[in-house]
Amino acid sequence: MRELPEYRKEGADPQAYAETLDYAVWFRRRTIECVSEDRQLDADDLSLIGSIGQQRARGGFSVHTVRRVLTLHADLMLRECYDAVEGHDVQELLRLTAWCGAQGMRGCAAYLQAYMDEQHLRLSVATRVRTLTHLLLTGDAIAASLARGLGVPLHDRYLVVVVRMPGGPFGRAETAHDDLIARVYGDHLVPLSWQGPNELLVLVPHHGPASSSPVSSSPPVSHGDRLMRLVRDIVERLDRPCAVGTAAGPVNALDRTAELARRVAHVAPVETTPRTLSGVADVFAELGAAQLPEVDQWLREIARRLASGPDLVRTLDAYYRADMNRLTAAAALHIHPRTLDYRLRRVRDLTNVDPSSVRGVRILSTTVARVSAGAWT
């Protein structure tokens, strides 16, 4: 009651308070019986523990509270074990703590599974998917129980995909957000959640090598087509241009991986139909420029000069996407190669930078990428 607001509310009801106290006393008495007889918790014990978890779900207790109460209970039990032997009998203390460790895991599993099973009946698919995504991002062990209820296998590594929508928020009500989550989950069976009114985060199983760095050009070829279908489906449902950032990492560090993917998404190109799923290796220059106001201002001035020419930013974008192949770039732009040559000369005249030089690629491609990301709108 002191630590958790939801238990303060529970304690205000005399009957609920008495039931909670009875359960705490029962568990301690049962511990003494089982330890003295060297027995495990039996099926009836686990069923009773599960019924408490079920009651908490019916009472609307949050996942955070359920996790915290198990931690508090374990902490108090271990302190009481020490007090019971008065700090003298080390063998008895070890026997008590060993029993609590082994049986505590079984008890927690029964409690959580019953809680999650009840949540399955009470909560919408979107709410459970959002909760699962949050638990995975925070590294919470409860995620496994919720994933089982949703029928989602968990993985050791994930590719975190952040879809950023410039402009106003998507939809006019929370129901629009939940509807999109439920539909995307139903079609692709991946955890996803809104991280703000303009940002959707998706967790995709990552089958790259365990030693691979998150600073890599994104996703593995093995599931690149599936990932592109997923992202395009999301952007089509959002019905607006989006930027996509990705980063891969282990399941026990997804919070840091998500932050990296978010930073990538903020410098990635905004596209109506995604053609690129950017990773750090794809936008490292833009990330650096965004962190240095002086560099960003310098590139902005170059972009301002390019704006005075005939479609020069789009021309450079096509030119660099074609790996500076003149014929391929001209075909993509639907212009004659000589027209392309004229535009490239115009770029050089306006910026004093040759777009076909190493220096030109570094400066102008970064400028075009910042324009495409909507950095200066």
Side-chain angles (χ1 to χ4, degrees):
M1 291 173 61
R2 183 177 67 249
E3 298 288 340
L4 300 170
E6 286 167 271
Y7 272 88
R8 285 199 289 276
K9 181 179 178 181
E10 184 86 352
D13 179 349
Q15 182 178 347
Y17 181 88
E19 290 175 353
T20 300
L21 186 60
D22 285 345
Y23 170 68
V25 173
W26 168 82
F27 192 80
R28 282 149 180 77
R29 287 178 173 165
R30 188 63 179 145
T31 298
I32 295 169
E33 293 172 2
C34 291
V35 170
S36 60
E37 299 172 11
D38 196 22
R39 289 194 291 112
Q40 296 183 341
L41 295 172
D42 60 27
D44 289 341
D45 297 330
L46 295 175
S47 177
L48 177 58
I49 293 170
S51 71
I52 303 300
Q54 188 179 52
Q55 287 178 28
R56 297 298 174 251
R58 289 175 178 170
F61 280 46
S62 68
V63 172
H64 171 75
T65 293
V66 166
R67 181 190 60 182
R68 285 283 296 132
V69 77
L70 291 175
T71 303
L72 287 169
H73 187 264
D75 179 59
L76 290 171
M77 284 289 291
L78 291 173
R79 292 186 190 185
E80 290 163 15
C81 287
Y82 182 81
D83 292 341
V85 299
E86 298 180 341
H88 300 305
D89 191 337
V90 67
Q91 297 298 327
E92 187 66 11
L93 178 61
L94 291 174
R95 197 157 70 93
L96 274 167
T97 53
W99 187 94
C100 286
Q103 299 311 305
M105 293 291 289
R106 298 178 68 222
C108 285
Y111 185 98
L112 289 173
Q113 194 58 60
Y115 173 86
M116 291 300 178
D117 288 346
E118 184 66 22
Q119 292 283 60
H120 179 82
L121 300 175
R122 300 175 61 83
L123 301 179
S124 68
V125 169
T127 300
R128 285 183 284 138
V129 171
R130 280 193 284 105
T131 302
L132 174 60
T133 306
H134 173 74
L135 294 176
L136 287 171
L137 288 174
T138 56
D140 198 312
I142 297 179
S145 297
L146 183 54
R148 279 194 295 272
L150 284 165
V152 179
L154 296 185
H155 300 267
D156 294 332
R157 292 179 63 79
Y158 284 91
L159 188 75
V160 180
V161 180
V162 173
V163 180
R164 176 178 66 92
M165 300 169 293
F170 170 74
R172 298 190 175 184
E174 188 175 332
T175 52
H177 284 194
D178 281 356
D179 182 62
L180 185 136
I181 288 175
R183 289 175 180 274
V184 173
Y185 172 78
D187 290 341
H188 300 278
L189 294 179
V190 290
L192 69 158
S193 179
W194 291 91
Q195 301 297 292
N198 295 25
E199 183 180 296
L200 187 68
L201 181 146
V202 190
L203 298 177
V204 179
H206 179 72
H207 304 301
S211 60
S212 63
S213 166
V215 184
S216 60
S217 90
S218 288
V221 176
S222 59
H223 60 237
D225 291 343
R226 177 187 168 218
L227 179 60
M228 184 59 83
R229 287 196 299 272
L230 164 65
V231 171
R232 286 181 174 172
D233 180 31
I234 291 173
V235 174
E236 183 178 341
R237 292 176 189 274
L238 295 173
D239 193 26
R240 65 177 65 184
C242 296
V244 182
T246 69
V251 69
N252 60 358
L254 287 181
D255 55 343
R256 295 195 298 272
T257 306
E259 178 56 31
L260 183 58
R262 183 174 296 112
R263 290 168 63 187
V264 171
H266 277 268
V267 297
V270 178
E271 300 173 316
T272 303
T273 301
R275 295 177 292 172
T276 54
L277 305 179
S278 300
V280 175
D282 304 304
V283 295
F284 68 91
E286 292 88 323
L287 284 168
Q291 295 299 311
L292 293 170
E294 297 84 359
V295 173
D296 207 49
Q297 185 61 37
W298 171 56
L299 296 177
R300 184 173 187 173
E301 173 58 25
I302 293 174
R304 188 189 63 77
R305 296 178 189 177
L306 293 174
S308 65
D311 215 4
L312 297 184
V313 170
R314 192 167 71 92
T315 298
L316 287 170
D317 184 42
Y319 183 56
Y320 291 134
R321 283 181 181 276
D323 283 335
M324 297 188 290
N325 184 300
R326 293 172 55 258
L327 297 179
T328 304
L333 291 166
H334 306 292
I335 61 176
H336 194 278
R338 290 183 181 176
T339 304
L340 175 66
D341 292 338
Y342 163 74
R343 292 185 182 180
L344 295 178
R345 285 196 301 272
R346 180 68 174 154
V347 168
R348 185 177 58 205
D349 294 340
L350 287 171
T351 64
N352 200 30
V353 177
D354 181 357
S356 300
S357 67
V358 173
R359 182 170 180 266
V361 172
R362 293 169 65 188
I363 296 172
L364 296 173
S365 67
T366 305
T367 301
V368 169
R370 296 294 284 147
V371 173
S372 299
W376 304 310
T377 55

